[in-house]
Amino acid sequence: MTQYKHIGIIGAGTMGSGIAGYFASKDVASTLVESNSEQVDRAKYTIARYFNRQAERGKITAERAAAIIDTPKFVSDLAALQGCDLIIEAVFEDMAVKETVLRAISDIVSSSIPIATNTSCLRVTELAEFVANPARFAGLHFFSPAMVNPIVEVVRCDQTDPTLYQDLVAFCAEHKKIPITCGDAYGFAINRFFVPYCNEAIRITDEGLATPTQIDLVAQDVLAVAAGPFRVMNLVKPRIMYKAQQHLRPHGAFYALADSLAAKGDSDYEFTIESAPKPLDEKVAAVIGDRLRAAAFLPILQAIDEGVAEPAAFDLGAKKALQFNNPPCALMDSLGKETVATILESILPTYGIAQPKSIDRIGALIAS
């Protein structure tokens, strides 16, 4: 059993409220700091709606639902976190905003209390600069919706104490989350490939090769995904994808924003999903299929070269967090090195990228 019995969460937005609701269902107390009263009301409503529905469906009793709903405590003052034994920062994905929060909490809680960031794309090592005693700092990236999605990326940065890191992995596993252990790099393990895959899908529409719905159908065919990239982006909102892709740009030209994604920026919009799309020409569909697979394969192979995570970790995240029924590393193994090399040639020359060294591991990625 880990020592984290009372967690403090900064930010009661979608992620903060989801984290609190999940751990409440595991009998872990939480204190959420949120100064926006409207956000607090939304968070309380979201948690109550989810667990009341669970009770209506007979998955838990009404009494159990009421107890879970009453567990998270909402406050507006960071000082209330002094009694917590783990702090999770879950504020807006902006370096300046996170700096302000991390510096403030470092001044309030004991220097021995672990602090984790729920960032999805910012480097944990850079955020650690804002924390007093950065050895007690790490990443805990929960996937949305946090009350349902089982995956948490546990990210170690340059300063993270190894014992703390293992404690955080154990904490997630103890409470039935699936920890993906990974090193610190923009996008970590899962967003490192999933965001560029979605970005490439947008590039394909920008070129006029196919509509979003046609591309979704190709993705379902070649990657066995439960939902194609555009349907998923509509769920998480394209503006979130815009922010995530921006943070990946240090990885090189391939990671630059698709033109229309850059043009629309973080405005609020959705992609049009047709009910009856025209069938694609087989040759066009094959080209699109290769580009979508290449856009997932390339970042994974590059990240393996960098030591971000092992192949099995990418596949576990792809399957459990993103519902890839044919996860990328297992798919590369089944296709073989020569076929994967051919698929990668659909994008590598465009960006002047050499084949990643880990392409030589294909055939035994999952076994290695």
Side-chain angles (χ1 to χ4, degrees), residues 12 18 38 93 116 123 137 168 183 187 192 202 227 230 236 287 291 294 300 338 362:
E38 292 182 1
E93 194 79 333
R123 287 197 69 214
F137 188 65
L168 292 174
R192 175 65 177 270
I202 298 172
F230 289 99
V236 301
V287 168
R291 285 180 59 178
I300 289 173
E338 290 185 7
I362 289 175

Side-chain angles (χ1 to χ4, degrees), residues 223-240:
L223 290 165
V225 291
F230 289 99
R231 191 170 294 278
V232 173
M233 284 189 282
N234 279 353
L235 288 173
V236 301
K237 304 305 177 189
R239 66 177 182 272
I240 303 299

Side-chain angles (χ1 to χ4, degrees), residues 297-298 300-302 304-305 311 328-344 355-368:
F297 293 167
L298 173 63
I300 289 173
L301 293 172
Q302 289 179 326
I304 292 171
D305 283 355
C329 290
L331 178 55
M332 284 191 275
D333 278 345
S334 68
L335 292 170
K337 175 182 172 180
E338 290 185 7
T339 299
V340 171
T342 300
I343 290 170
L344 289 176
Q355 292 278 14
K357 293 179 181 178
S358 53
I359 196 167
D360 291 330
R361 293 175 60 181
I362 289 175
L365 283 169
I366 298 303
S368 62

Side-chain angles (χ1 to χ4, degrees), residues 50-66:
Y50 177 78
F51 289 105
N52 283 331
R53 285 182 176 175
Q54 292 291 91
E56 290 168 5
R57 294 168 180 166
K59 295 187 175 181
I60 57 176
T61 66
E63 292 76 15
R64 176 62 177 155

Side-chain angles (χ1 to χ4, degrees), residues 181-318:
T181 59
C182 55
D184 187 24
Y186 294 109
F188 310 136
I190 300 174
N191 278 344
R192 175 65 177 270
F193 76 88
F194 183 67
V195 175
Y197 150 79
C198 291
N199 192 56
E200 187 69 14
I202 298 172
R203 281 192 184 125
I204 293 167
T205 63
D206 288 347
E207 295 166 18
L209 288 179
T211 67
T213 313
Q214 289 171 326
I215 293 169
D216 276 1
L217 290 173
V218 173
Q220 288 176 296
D221 180 41
V222 300
L223 290 165
V225 291
F230 289 99
R231 191 170 294 278
V232 173
M233 284 189 282
N234 279 353
L235 288 173
V236 301
K237 304 305 177 189
R239 66 177 182 272
I240 303 299
M241 196 61 59
Y242 165 78
K243 286 286 188 184
Q245 187 68 38
Q246 273 190 316
H247 292 307
L248 294 177
R249 287 184 295 182
H251 288 304
F254 169 68
Y255 297 85
L257 288 158
D259 289 344
S260 62
L261 189 60
K264 293 180 180 179
D266 60 358
S267 59
D268 192 11
Y269 68 97
E270 290 187 354
F271 296 101
T272 300
I273 304 296
E274 308 160 272
S275 57
K278 288 183 179 179
L280 279 173
D281 176 85
E282 287 186 9
K283 291 183 179 179
V284 174
V287 168
I288 292 170
D290 279 354
R291 285 180 59 178
L292 291 176
R293 288 184 292 184
F297 293 167
L298 173 63
I300 289 173
L301 293 172
Q302 289 179 326
I304 292 171
D305 283 355
E306 296 162 17
V308 174
E310 285 301 307
F314 290 99
D315 275 15
L316 181 60

